[in-house]
Amino acid sequence: MADSTADRTGDRRRFAAELWQLLRQYRWRIAFSVVLLLVAKLATVAVPLLLKRIIDTFSHAPLPSHLALGLPAYLLAGYALLRFSSTLFNEWRDLIFARVTLNTVKAYAEKTFAHLHALGPRFHAGRQVGSLLPDIDRGTSGIAFLLGIGLFTIVPTLVEIGLVLAIMLGRYPPSFAVIIGATFLAYSGFTLVFTARRVIYQRRVNKLDSRAKGQMADSLMNYDTVKAFTNEAWESRRFSATMADWMGAGIKNQRALFILHVGQSGVIAAGVAAIMLLAGQAVLARSMSVGDLVLINAYALQVCLPLNALGFVYRESRDAWVNAERLFALLRLRPEIEDPPDAPALHVGAGAGVGDVVFEHVSFHYDPERPVLFDLSLHIPSGTTLAVVGRSGSGKSTLARLLLRLYDPASGRILIDGQDIRHRSPTSVRRAIGVVPQDTALFNDSIGNNIAYARVGATQDEVIGAARAALLHDLIASLPEGYATPAGERGVKFSGGERQRIGIARVILKDPAILIFDEATSALDSVSEHAIARELERLSHRRTTLIIAHRLSTIVHAHAIVVMERGRIVEQGTHAELLRRKGAYARLWMLQQHMDRERG
């Protein structure tokens, strides 16, 4: 996700506009937070003034008898109260504003989550989840930081510096204010220049960090493959190489940070030294008291420390923006297929006997250089079963993806009950279709919840009924935790055949008008395959069904069979008709029969 300067500028504008819309609902909470902020700063600025008076009072010892106890105790108590109130109002401000910050982070996290689900399979096929999650995490954290610093760091710091300069100009010679102003300008210029240089290193550190986490996640998710090929050492070397690059970039980043910090501290030290030298000469000349010296020292630190805070904030805000850039770049990506709220829904009746499907002169490619389908036309009449067979890469599974509107055809159209699905809401299209994929992926949740995922809100009896129909109930009942048994990450606690039966149970529970079986019995043993094939045949009775098959013995009951080669239909007919023609289908059938006899 490479970002141009124009893209980053546009992101800043969009972020500012979106942020304003989010903050408007909390305007009174923000206003109260600002009041607390100003009160806290006034208390902070008043502390040195009271401290000067305390020192000057004690410097004129002995005190008059009527003031010996009352005045110093009053001043000391006021001094302690001012320090406490500064902390109290700052913490109260943070408590009040926490809802604003957390709501903003929540809004962006929800927006990103929904956006990722809206993006098409091309995006998800090309991204590593392990590298994507750190980008999202850093992005939302960066937004939270950017939200807080503008109101609660930059504004109060400028207010504090302004109040201090006003007091210094009102009570002391202009030379003190001039030194403070020169220090501020020198510090700001140095910080701007060297922070801009450091951003380059921070971007590289983030990129390598995401790459390392992506490699780690990918390797751990493919643990069995790593073990099977004894590639643990190679995986470690590959990960170590990325971490070495990350470490090198981190060292360069830290070196740039060292120069930045030392330079900032040097500017502040020079400013404080000049102010204290000038104040010390004034005390020796008796034109200022010791209390004035303490006051000037306190105010010098009170200006320089906020300067340091401003430098920190600027540096961290640049880092935060770098972190947020990748999140904004992600949000800039447009879904391949939009689901606008005003798009009409696909109208398909419930139950059996509906869902007439037509592919009309459909051509498609994932990559323009490699077309997948060529001017393909076929018809699946309502309530019938069409099976598609062919070699790998012939375009069989692409038909299912197009019917689900995961992609749109490059040309031609697909009709369901006479409605062009390109002009219907993708959500409504997918709601009308049930899919049993070749490899059923499960959530890291209970078996019961994995089955119920097909119809959120289904009762336990409905889930059990679907499991019985998929010949899965006896297996689940034999487990110690029954339907509450965890499936594990992507269902690793169950075999491929068991996962596939869970997928079949899902479709049974969904009860859709149109069915797609994509190699739905490929992971089953012969006994289970025969039993599940009978159940799938019962389930598809009088429903529009598309079966993508490798095992020809599972599709002999189909009303029509289509043979595909290189994105084109080369044969079409019933099982008996295709065998009589002695063409491509007959050759596949004879080959599989021969292989089955050899295995037997």
Side-chain angles (χ1 to χ4, degrees), residues 98-424:
R99 182 177 292 275
V100 181
T101 303
L102 294 175
N103 180 70
T104 303
V105 172
K106 171 178 171 289
Y108 268 96
E110 291 171 347
K111 180 179 180 180
T112 305
F113 183 80
H115 184 70
L116 287 173
H117 278 290
L119 293 176
R122 277 195 178 93
F123 168 81
H124 289 283
R127 290 290 299 179
Q128 285 184 313
V129 174
S131 61
L132 187 64
L133 295 181
D135 288 343
I136 297 171
D137 183 52
R138 282 195 299 262
T140 52
S141 298
I143 288 170
F145 184 83
L146 290 169
L147 179 63
I149 62 165
L151 189 59
F152 294 146
T153 305
I154 296 176
V155 172
T157 299
L158 294 176
V159 168
E160 187 172 354
I161 291 173
L163 288 172
V164 169
L165 286 175
I167 293 172
M168 296 288 283
L169 286 170
R171 299 176 66 98
Y172 302 106
S175 52
F176 289 100
V178 170
I179 293 174
I180 291 175
T183 302
F184 179 81
L185 291 175
Y187 185 93
S188 301
F190 181 85
T191 300
L192 287 170
V193 171
F194 281 86
T195 300
R197 294 182 181 179
R198 182 178 163 269
V199 163
I200 299 171
Y201 299 116
Q202 185 63 43
R203 283 201 180 103
R204 178 156 177 76
V205 168
N206 287 351
K207 181 179 179 181
L208 290 169
D209 179 63
S210 295
R211 182 189 300 172
K213 286 183 170 63
Q215 286 181 355
M216 180 182 291
D218 193 40
S219 183
L220 292 176
M221 288 175 67
N222 291 284
Y223 169 85
D224 292 339
T225 304
V226 174
K227 286 293 183 184
F229 288 93
T230 63
N231 275 338
E232 296 92 338
W234 183 82
E235 289 288 336
S236 294
R237 287 195 300 272
R238 190 166 68 107
F239 182 72
S240 295
T242 302
M243 290 304 296
D245 291 340
W246 171 83
M247 186 181 73
I251 290 173
K252 291 178 181 178
N253 187 42
Q254 193 62 38
R255 189 179 297 131
L257 189 61
F258 168 80
I259 295 172
L260 180 62
H261 282 172
V262 170
Q264 289 172 332
S265 298
V267 171
I268 290 175
V272 172
I275 291 171
M276 293 308 296
L277 180 62
L278 192 61
Q281 290 176 343
V283 171
L284 291 175
R286 304 295 183 186
S287 61
M288 287 172 48
S289 67
V290 175
D292 289 316
L293 178 66
V294 172
L295 176 67
I296 289 172
N297 177 67
Y299 276 153
L301 292 175
Q302 208 159 314
V303 169
C304 291
L305 288 177
L307 269 182
N308 208 17
L310 279 180
F312 168 79
V313 164
Y314 180 73
R315 183 178 69 249
E316 292 298 314
S317 64
R318 288 300 298 269
D319 288 350
W321 184 256
V322 169
N323 292 337
E325 280 175 352
R326 293 182 69 82
L327 177 62
F328 288 134
L330 179 65
L331 292 173
R332 275 203 312 271
L333 296 176
R334 301 316 313 155
E336 292 178 51
I337 298 178
E338 301 276 2
D339 194 356
D342 58 344
L346 179 73
H347 296 291
V348 178
V354 296
D356 186 84
V357 175
V358 176
F359 285 74
E360 196 173 87
H361 301 290
V362 170
S363 296
F364 176 76
H365 57 257
Y366 297 103
D367 182 340
E369 302 299 321
R370 298 179 60 188
V372 178
L373 298 178
F374 301 87
D375 194 30
L376 181 143
S377 295
L378 60 85
H379 180 207
I380 314 176
S382 174
T384 66
T385 297
L386 174 74
V388 181
V389 299
R391 297 178 181 178
S392 296
S394 61
K396 304 187 301 296
S397 294
T398 300
L399 295 177
R401 297 188 186 108
L402 291 173
L403 186 57
L404 283 163
R405 269 209 84 191
L406 297 176
Y407 300 93
D408 280 334
S411 62
R413 59 180 187 161
I414 301 171
L415 308 176
I416 295 179
D417 284 351
Q419 303 161 80
D420 188 342
I421 64 173
R422 190 194 293 270
H423 303 137
R424 294 294 183 266

